[in-house]
Amino acid sequence: MSSYIIVVAIFLVTCGGVYAITEVMAQRSRRVRDRLSNITGGFTYGAAGVLEPMEDAAPVSRSMFSSAGGDVLPTVSAYLQGSSLGRDLRMAMHRAGVKLRPAEFVGICIASVIGMAMIGLFLTSRIWMCLIMGAIGYAVPVVMLKMKQNKRRNEFDGQLPDALTLISSSLRTGYSFTSSCEMIITEMPAPISEEFAWARGEAQLGVPMEQALGRMVERVNSYDLDLAVTAVSIQVQVGGNLAEILDTIAKTIRERVRIKGEIDSLTAEGKLSGWIVFLLPVVLGLFLNLRDPNYFKPMFNDPLGPTLIIITLVLQFAGGLIIKKMVAIDV
């Protein structure tokens, strides 16, 4: 047990050293940001490449990438402010529709890693189980964030044909393209209304509407939206009947959604089988180890045992990727 106490002590000392270095860098970054805020009036260039309020600005003018309320991790926020990691995390939070600051998500990941690692250590008293549980603790919030991103993008793609039809009908009745986008903001639910409201805000700051729509494509990361925005940009440059073009794109998107639904229903059994085949050995191994800690002891004592385990995990991961590729069909 003394070796585990030493490991925990080393871990705590390392965390303290990292925190001290982070605190020094954050104080320097905070001073620079305060001077920049005095010059720019509290605005900075955000992830979309346009001016947006700084994260520590007044609540009424916060960026939609920030959460409401006070920042619970100001030191980490100051360290991430202006860095590429901070911009990527803000974009990821926005794509998922999660009202968290990047520092808060980092804090959740760290707490999850430490908590799961401590659970593995106290249940089995083995370092390798501690590392596995820590990796699981890191993967859980990341996977959940990816799932929320996919869910929000699918919701956006499902609303896009109706939005294009609404724009097309508005254009035929004499409205301008900007006024048609205003109708999406007022008549349609989130997330599509939020994205068009964000694009309208950029246009009000002086960004061309085509460029604001292009940045919306970058934020949403939707192939269907990219197709629609490309058509709008081409129509602005060369002319044409935009209403008819949008109707055609909306019909194409609806057909893609229908075909994709049919493919998902046909491949659902294969996806479920892949998950079962991939997770069953791992879950069964963890269960047997928790039930009888000496069950895998002969394998670990044998010199060839760890090598066989590593080879098994690699083959298991490769098999999961192959099954995923087999059932993934792009439409």
Side-chain angles (χ1 to χ4, degrees):
M1 183 61 67
S2 60
S3 60
Y4 300 115
I5 297 176
I6 294 175
V7 171
V8 173
I10 294 175
F11 175 78
L12 294 177
V13 172
T14 303
C15 291
V18 172
Y19 178 79
I21 296 174
T22 304
E23 183 69 25
V24 173
M25 298 180 67
Q27 292 293 338
R28 184 184 305 173
S29 175
R30 190 179 296 113
R31 289 193 298 268
V32 173
R33 191 176 71 256
D34 291 341
R35 291 196 296 267
L36 181 62
S37 176
N38 294 331
I39 296 174
T40 62
F43 283 80
T44 183
Y45 281 93
V50 297
L51 285 173
E52 63 181 29
M54 289 184 173
E55 289 190 1
D56 54 355
V60 296
S61 62
R62 276 198 184 96
S63 164
M64 67 187 298
F65 290 139
S66 301
S67 61
D71 191 353
V72 297
L73 296 172
T75 301
V76 182
S77 296
Y79 178 72
L80 294 175
Q81 180 70 28
S83 64
S84 59
L85 177 60
R87 289 191 294 269
D88 293 341
L89 287 176
R90 281 195 297 273
M91 183 65 73
M93 295 296 106
H94 177 70
R95 287 176 177 175
V98 177
K99 305 303 180 183
L100 289 176
R101 291 181 173 86
E104 294 169 349
F105 180 74
V106 171
I108 291 173
C109 291
I110 294 175
S112 178
V113 170
I114 296 176
M116 294 296 290
M118 293 297 103
I119 290 174
L121 182 62
F122 289 126
L123 288 180
T124 63
S125 299
R126 294 181 179 179
I127 296 297
W128 65 271
M129 181 59 68
C130 176
L131 296 177
I132 292 176
M133 295 295 288
I136 294 175
Y138 171 76
V140 167
V142 174
V143 171
M144 292 183 63
L145 181 65
K146 291 291 184 181
M147 292 175 61
K148 292 186 70 67
Q149 288 179 356
N150 293 333
K151 180 181 178 181
R152 189 173 187 271
R153 184 173 61 249
N154 292 334
E155 291 178 353
F156 184 94
D157 291 339
Q159 296 171 345
L160 185 59
D162 295 335
L164 296 179
T165 303
L166 179 60
I167 294 177
S168 175
S169 302
S170 301
L171 292 175
R172 287 193 173 95
T173 57
Y175 285 93
S176 64
F177 182 78
T178 304
S179 300
S180 302
C181 294
E182 291 281 349
M183 294 186 65
I184 294 177
I185 298 173
T186 57
E187 299 295 334
M188 297 196 67
I192 196 167
S193 59
E194 295 177 351
E195 293 297 337
F196 274 89
W198 185 257
R200 180 193 61 181
E202 290 186 347
Q204 291 176 349
L205 289 174
V207 178
M209 193 61 186
E210 296 80 14
Q211 190 174 358
L213 292 175
R215 287 170 175 162
M216 183 169 64
V217 173
E218 181 183 356
R219 291 193 302 271
V220 179
N221 194 25
S222 170
Y223 172 80
D224 295 335
L225 180 62
D226 189 12
L227 180 64
V229 171
T230 301
V232 172
S233 301
I234 294 175
Q235 190 275 338
V236 170
Q237 296 176 4
V238 302
N241 191 344
L242 182 58
E244 184 178 351
I245 294 173
L246 293 180
D247 280 338
T248 303
I249 295 175
K251 182 179 179 181
T252 303
I253 294 174
R254 287 192 176 95
E255 287 297 316
R256 287 184 66 250
V257 172
R258 182 185 64 82
I259 296 174
K260 186 178 180 180
E262 293 180 357
I263 292 175
D264 289 340
S265 63
L266 293 174
T267 58
E269 184 178 355
K271 293 179 180 178
L272 180 60
S273 300
W275 278 110
I276 293 175
V277 171
F278 180 74
L279 294 177
L280 182 59
V282 178
V283 175
L284 184 60
L286 293 176
F287 175 77
L288 291 175
N289 184 77
L290 292 176
R291 185 176 180 85
D292 185 7
N294 296 322
Y295 187 81
F296 290 102
K297 190 173 182 180
M299 178 172 289
F300 286 106
N301 292 334
D302 191 280
L304 193 59
T307 303
L308 293 177
I309 292 177
I310 295 175
I311 294 175
T312 301
L313 293 177
V314 171
L315 292 177
Q316 189 75 10
F317 183 75
L321 291 180
I322 293 174
I323 294 176
K324 181 179 179 181
K325 291 294 183 181
M326 290 174 61
V327 299
I329 301 175
D330 293 331
V331 181

